[in-house]
């Protein structure tokens, strides 16, 4: 059974490989985004050495690593699931001898793995040549960061699955998917690190799962958070990863009772 | 005249389509506004940590963003060809368009019109008015005319570059993924260009002149002394780039052979 899921990862990886041209332009796009935010934050920092608990060097690294991490954890599982539900092909998935949601996650993982190797790694090299990015020197930090990156992927996928499954209950969840996308980019700390938010808002965001996607791993990578505190962040991620399974399971159970194929 | 009557007919068609899926219309507007809201929120958060951004105050940067929203909304309404390769080249709908008498680009624009985006322009004007009021901007009698002129120029720059990039589909059969570039370059033009380094400033002024879409014309209203000259170039740059974009498009159409489906 396990090898079946491993195969799904491999197949999606190979499919992505067949369309790799798309990803060269993708590297340029991410470089543009990183450049825009780099200069913007440079202007914000001005003569200040440190703002919002981050030095300007840490900020540069944070922007670069957050965008490159996004290439890995980002996927369109919400859209894929919603499409399967809308065109009715999810009915076929129900009768197959595997777990549909797990299959989707594995496919997303194959896609993410492809982008990590073909996109984030070369992209990070290019970006570090253009901008003053500081890499962590401690291998332990790298280890913690990579573990957190994997958890980022899982949490983001869980949120995507939840959004996608809403298509079972409403006829059109397009708006919801778009809003989720904006919410994830903003609340995860990708665009603005959480420590820059107004206090009241930050407190709320710290109790939401979004920060676990970008802000927590970024904090470890930049060295804003070190030692035991880094492990605490890892545990926060683990907790969210586990906690999000419950609503997905509940929704999946409820959905199977009220599958309603439009048009068919 | 002929083109105008077509516009009327296509708009009628659009409304009929929209009225069947009313909620989609509002969802689209809401998510569009949410996206703009995030960008404005970003500006507000940034200014909680610094009084000036490249020498510009918060209200001034918000004003620039408001101006940017106006041509941006009109552009999104007119040039909604994001799925051009898949729909018109791969599925072969371009052949249908080419057999009709009206100019093919005009047909494409009208078929894909998206008036919901104009709502963003309206919000942009409101944002400009609020920010401008706070700064205490003085308006002369000819400023509204200049505003219209700048907006038209900005939309033409946007449209010209977009049309040229879309025309690449005629030459390459695989989706190049180059169009999202456009969307991402917008990240630069919403803020004062003087915060960027020379290379980026040069690119945004001469190569992909997106600085004329937002910053240069908006800066004219904020600081006439320094920015009148660059702002006045907006319509000229717009005319040149639109002309070039359409010329490249027409060249592409002549080269177009169909996908054979």
């Amino acid at each position: 059974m396990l090898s079946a899921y491993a195969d799904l990862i491999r197949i999606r990886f190979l499919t992505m490989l067949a369309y790799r041209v798309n990803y060269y332009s993708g590297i340029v796009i991410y470089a543009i985004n990183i450049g825009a935010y780099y200069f913007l934050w440079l202007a914000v920092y001005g003569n200040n050495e440190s703002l919002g608990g981050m030095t300007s060097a840490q900020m540069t690294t944070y922007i670069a690593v957050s965008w490159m991490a996004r290439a890995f954890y980002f996927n369109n599982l919400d859209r894929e699931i919603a499409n399967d539900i809308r065109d009715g092909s999810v009915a076929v998935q129900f009768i197959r001898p595997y777990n549909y949601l797990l299959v989707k996650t594995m496919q997303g993982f194959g896609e993410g793995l492809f982008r990590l190797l073909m996109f984030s790694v070369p992209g990070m090299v290019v970006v570090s040549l253009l901008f003053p990015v500081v890499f962590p020197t401690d291998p332990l930090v790298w280890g913690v960061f990579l573990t957190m990156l994997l958890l980022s992927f899982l949490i983001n996928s869980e949120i995507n699955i939840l959004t996608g499954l809403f298509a079972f209950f409403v006829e059109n969840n397009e708006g919801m998917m778009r809003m989720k996308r904006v919410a994830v980019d903003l609340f995860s700390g990708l665009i603005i690190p959480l420590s820059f938010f107004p206090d009241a808002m930050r407190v709320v965001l710290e109790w939401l799962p979004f920060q676990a996607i970008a802000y927590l791993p970024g904090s470890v990578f930049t060295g804003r958070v070190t030692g035991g505190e880094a492990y605490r962040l890892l545990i926060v991620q683990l907790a969210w990863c586990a906690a999000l399974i419950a609503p997905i399971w509940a929704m999946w159970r409820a959905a199977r009772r009220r599958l309603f194929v439009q048009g068919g | 005249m002929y083109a105008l009557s077509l516009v009327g007919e296509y708009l009628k068609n659009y409304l009929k389509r929209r009225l069947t899926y009313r909620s989609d219309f509002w969802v689209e507007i809401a998510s569009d506004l949410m996206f703009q809201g995030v960008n404005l929120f970003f500006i507000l958060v940034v200014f909680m940590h610094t009084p000036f951004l490249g020498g510009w105050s918060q209200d001034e940067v918000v004003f620039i963003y408001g101006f940017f929203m106006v041509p941006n909304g009109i552009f999104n309404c007119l040039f909604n060809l994001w799925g051009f390769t898949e729909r018109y080249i791969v599925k072969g709908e371009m052949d249908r368009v080419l057999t009709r008498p009206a100019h093919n680009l005009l047909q494409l624009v009208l078929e894909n019109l998206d008036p919901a985006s104009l709502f963003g322009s309206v919000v942009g004007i409101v944002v400009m008015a609020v920010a401008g009021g706070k700064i205490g901007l003085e308006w002369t009698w000819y400023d509204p005319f200049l505003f219209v002129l700048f907006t038209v120029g900005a939309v033409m720059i946007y449209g010209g570059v977009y049309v040229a990039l879309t025309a690449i589909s005629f030459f390459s059969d695989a989706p190049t993924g180059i169009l999202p570039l456009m969307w991402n370059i917008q990240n630069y033009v919403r803020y004062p260009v003087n915060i960027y380094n020379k290379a980026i400033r040069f690119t945004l002024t001469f190569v992909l002149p997106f600085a004329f879409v937002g910053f240069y014309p908006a800066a004219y209203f904020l600081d006439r002394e320094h920015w009148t000259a660059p702002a006045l170039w907006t319509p000229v740059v717009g005319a040149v780039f639109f002309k070039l974009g359409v010329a490249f498009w027409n060249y592409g159409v002549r080269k177009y052979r169909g996908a054979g489906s």
Side-chain angles (χ1 to χ4, degrees), chain A residues 47-93:
Chain A
N47 296 323
N48 295 318
E49 187 42 46
S50 165
L51 282 180
M54 280 168 115
T55 65
S56 60
Q58 279 176 337
M59 192 58 168
T60 308
T61 310
Y62 182 87
I63 297 165
V65 79
S66 299
W67 279 95
M68 288 307 166
R70 184 180 188 271
F72 171 64
Y73 67 69
F74 180 86
N75 55 48
N76 283 319
L77 289 188
D78 49 348
R79 203 157 291 267
E80 288 176 27
I81 292 172
N83 283 342
D84 278 355
I85 293 170
R86 232 174 296 165
D87 69 17
S89 57
V90 73
V92 183
Q93 302 284 352

Side-chain angles (χ1 to χ4, degrees), chain A residues 9 12-13 16 105-115:
Chain A
I9 301 177
R12 186 55 81 93
F13 188 95
M16 300 299 286
T105 313
M106 290 304 158
Q107 287 176 340
F109 187 65
E111 208 176 307
L113 217 53
F114 169 83
R115 283 203 227 100

Side-chain angles (χ1 to χ4, degrees), chain A residues 137-183:
Chain A
T137 45
D138 186 356
L140 196 67
V141 174
W142 278 97
V144 174
F145 172 74
L146 289 175
T147 317
M148 293 183 85
L149 198 57
L150 181 67
L151 287 166
S152 295
F153 164 79
L154 288 174
I155 294 168
N156 185 50
S157 299
E158 284 173 332
I159 292 173
N160 280 345
I161 289 173
L162 269 178
T163 320
L165 284 180
F166 260 99
F168 272 118
F169 305 93
V170 291
E171 285 192 21
N172 188 346
N173 66 340
E174 181 64 35
M176 198 172 182
M177 289 193 290
R178 286 198 202 181
M179 286 178 191
K180 184 229 68 187
R181 199 161 162 171
V182 177

Side-chain angles (χ1 to χ4, degrees), chain A residues 21-22 25-26 28-29 31-37 39-41 43-44 48 51-52 172 174-176 178-179 182-183 186 191-192 195-198 201, chain B residues 23-24 27-28 30-32 34-35 38-39 41-42 45-46 48-50 52-54 175-178 180-181 184-185 187-188 190-191 195-197 200:
Chain A
V21 183
N22 265 344
S25 53
V28 180
I29 289 173
I32 288 177
N33 277 317
I34 291 171
Y37 285 108
F39 284 109
L40 208 66
W41 283 109
V44 173
N48 295 318
L51 282 180
N172 188 346
E174 181 64 35
M176 198 172 182
R178 286 198 202 181
M179 286 178 191
V182 177
L186 180 65
I191 301 176
I192 315 168
S195 55
F196 280 79
F197 276 93
M201 215 173 156
Chain B
S23 61
D24 281 13
V27 164
E28 197 187 317
S31 58
D32 198 41
M34 196 172 151
F35 178 73
V38 167
N39 291 329
F41 177 76
F42 180 79
V45 169
V46 157
M48 290 172 66
H49 300 276
T50 176
F52 293 103
L53 192 65
T176 50
I178 210 161
L181 271 176
N184 284 284
I185 285 179
N187 270 338
Y188 282 97
R190 303 192 297 242
Y191 308 104
I195 64 171
Y196 303 119
N197 68 8
I200 293 179

Side-chain angles (χ1 to χ4, degrees), chain A residues 34 57 60-62 64-65 124 127-135 221:
Chain A
I34 291 171
T60 308
T61 310
Y62 182 87
V65 79
M124 204 64 193
V127 166
S128 66
L129 293 175
L130 294 174
F131 309 109
V133 176
V134 187
F135 291 100
F221 192 86

Side-chain angles (χ1 to χ4, degrees), chain B residues 33-64:
Chain B
L33 287 184
M34 196 172 151
F35 178 73
Q36 311 280 8
V38 167
N39 291 329
L40 277 173
F41 177 76
F42 180 79
I43 295 175
L44 298 184
V45 169
V46 157
F47 276 101
M48 290 172 66
H49 300 276
T50 176
F52 293 103
L53 192 65
W56 302 84
S57 71
Q58 173 175 326
D59 291 328
E60 287 171 330
V61 173
V62 170
F63 181 89
I64 294 169

